[in-house]
Amino acid sequence: MESKPFFRFLFFFIAIAFLFAWTHLHYAPSPGVTTLLDCASNSPWCTSSKNRLQSKQPTLTKTPRASTSQRRHHESAVPRHPLDPLTIQEFNKVRKILSSHALFKSSNNYALHSVVLEEPNKELVLKWKKGQPLFPRIASVIARANGVSHVLTVNLETDEVTVLNTAPPTGYPTMTMEDMTSATWAPLSNAKFNRTIIERGVNLKDVACLPISLGWFGKKEENRRLIKVQCYSMEDTANFYMRPIEGLTVLLDMDTKEVVEVSDTGRSIPIPKATNTDYRFSEQKLQQDLNSVNPISIEQPKGPSFVIEDEHLVKWANWEFHLKPDTRAGVVVSRAKVRDLESGVLRDVMYKGFTSELFVPYMDPTDAWYFKTYMDAGEYGFGLQAMPLDPLNDCPRNAYYMDGVFAAGDGVPYVRSNMVCVFERYTGDIGWRHAESPITGMEIKEVRPKVTLVVRMAASVANYDYIVDWEFQTDGLIRIKVGLSGILMVKGTAYENMNQVEGQENLFGTLLSENVIGVIHDHYITFYLDMDIDGSDNSFVNVNIKRQETSPGESPRKSYLKAVRNVAKTEKDAQIQLKLYDPSEFHVINPTKKTRVGNPVGYKVVPGGTAASLLDHEDPPQKRGAFTNNQIWVTQYNRSEQWAGGLFVYQSHGEDTLDVWSERDRPIENKDIVVWYTLGFHHIPCQEDFPIMPTVSSSFDLKPVNFFESNPILRAPPYFEKDLPVCRPAYSA
């Protein structure tokens, strides 16, 4: 293979097309250099920057259609809804205001770890109507200056900066991209590291490294922001993850870039070969022709049925909701309402929903692996890792693409293009059907197709890819699905075949290929669901399904099932661990709103992806990930409690988690409540996961329960031939 230049020593985001032009992501230059909104219009750099900063779709008021040939002018965007994210102009104003604030003027080294909209109080948003003035726009900022973390707000109308005393006692903010970049370069300054790489037989030009969060395992890791760095060989493959330099770990001070320690415990372990590791289509020697699967495209001759108003308000069928990208959560769905076709009224279902945290503990207690217990949202930023979606492959034709506009560590805004897509899906599923039996003498066959609306994002957090779908159905159901794909994090080994493994030796995983072990691990994705069923004051009901024995002589039956409804009074009453042989339904109801026949209106959480953490609750990773101790939690609404792992997750001790908040045992009956649901996966790797994993998915539902008076899609029309396009196959042309 052709020799690569020295800059091949790069962090993982380059390898997964994350950085700069590879992601269509534009960083403006440092302060003092011409920036997007400061540069002269006749500047060549300014012109090219503007082109890169604009996404590929125009500012259209009511069209969902957006292709890669269209452009949106982000620099002129203005907010139109109280929940709209910060704009380019607002980011620049925040940066300007903070640059003159004493906290930052006195700092030789500061970074903005998060700059997002400080959303107005919920009660204000609920009262706001389109056309009314917006509330004062306020930015919420998490920053580090002179080695100290700060939480502050910036009022964009008054220029007032308020420093809040809300920083947790332990932990650090989400890493910036600059943190991760610099951490992976820093080991090069250490002679021992360089010498070790060369002694392992790897050329420095072929080294790629990952910044790995180290969790928290005791006092020796306190009072300094630390990170671990591990490296791989990129020689002869793009899939460097399959070529680990096993046992080599660098402990680094993230603030000073000082190499604290170099540990090398794997000198006897060979670096796996590159053979058959590359997953790119262009590199496949035998490109399989799957004759049985021709390309499929769902055509919509009349165009999509949904519209996007004012860039963020989605309207489709009987649904309406606000949608925005977020650096930490990925996407945020707010103000979700469904239209009751009986009354014509838009009814509240959910005030806000998003991915709150991801916990990924690996099950290898050895020196180079025990700390791999990732919190992907709070440590790395789930939205920061979102990739531009690939039209036709990530999202089908007629998808609408939404960009993310974020701030870099120095406050300069940039655009993550095509971060979210919205599209209609039809897979041949059935909305409802009934065919009458011939014995009735009635020739009746009624069937309705199921078409849904999908909001999708995909995040590549180093090796792993997560696909998150919010799927809306016309019957009122919301399905939240997570797909796992990408590349396994693997361990090097001396073994090439299982016949070399003696007895019951624990490999901590599966031998996938020669010298490659896929380590066992879990994935937990916790969702924040602020349910507002016909209003904010709701109750949580555990509808327990119990076996009832019949009395002697009562019936030929010995037993039957009955539903026992238990309304949760306090938060501890609503801590749910799912049990196969003690089943329940989990309802969120509005006790003050009843159907015509007297049932309280509600929605129910329909579980799926029910893997549960088996780690000891006193294990340090589980203390930090204690929000996975239950599959369902219900808490009293508190706007400061949104991140299940705490506001500051990095190196936290676990004292600011959902588990801690819930221990307050606040009243939740007929209150404004938040439901938390955790999708769980146990992953024992197998050879089919090598060198890249087929997607595995799981989902849970939010389903109406006595919310409507009857089947809400009863009057949906069937399809007829005249309504559909006729597409002839190529061979018949």
Side-chain angles (χ1 to χ4, degrees), residues 134-152:
L134 296 182
F135 306 109
R137 298 279 285 179
I138 298 174
S140 173
V141 179
I142 296 175
R144 278 180 60 77
N146 293 322
V148 179
S149 301
H150 300 276
V151 180
L152 48 132

Side-chain angles (χ1 to χ4, degrees), residues 727-733:
C727 302
R728 289 215 261 329
Y731 59 77
S732 68

Side-chain angles (χ1 to χ4, degrees), residues 57-60 62-67 70 72 304 306-312 314 323 389 395-403 418-424 454 456:
Q57 51 199 8
T59 303
L60 299 176
K62 281 197 170 185
T63 177
R65 306 194 64 166
S67 69
Q70 297 173 314
R72 175 182 285 124
F306 65 94
V307 295
I308 312 289
E309 292 184 357
D310 299 332
E311 309 294 348
H312 294 283
V314 181
L323 178 66
L389 294 165
C395 311
R397 277 200 178 127
N398 285 325
Y400 172 91
Y401 293 89
M402 184 177 290
D403 300 341
N418 289 7
M419 176 178 164
V420 181
C421 71
V422 183
F423 61 91
E424 287 170 292
V454 177
R456 172 173 293 168

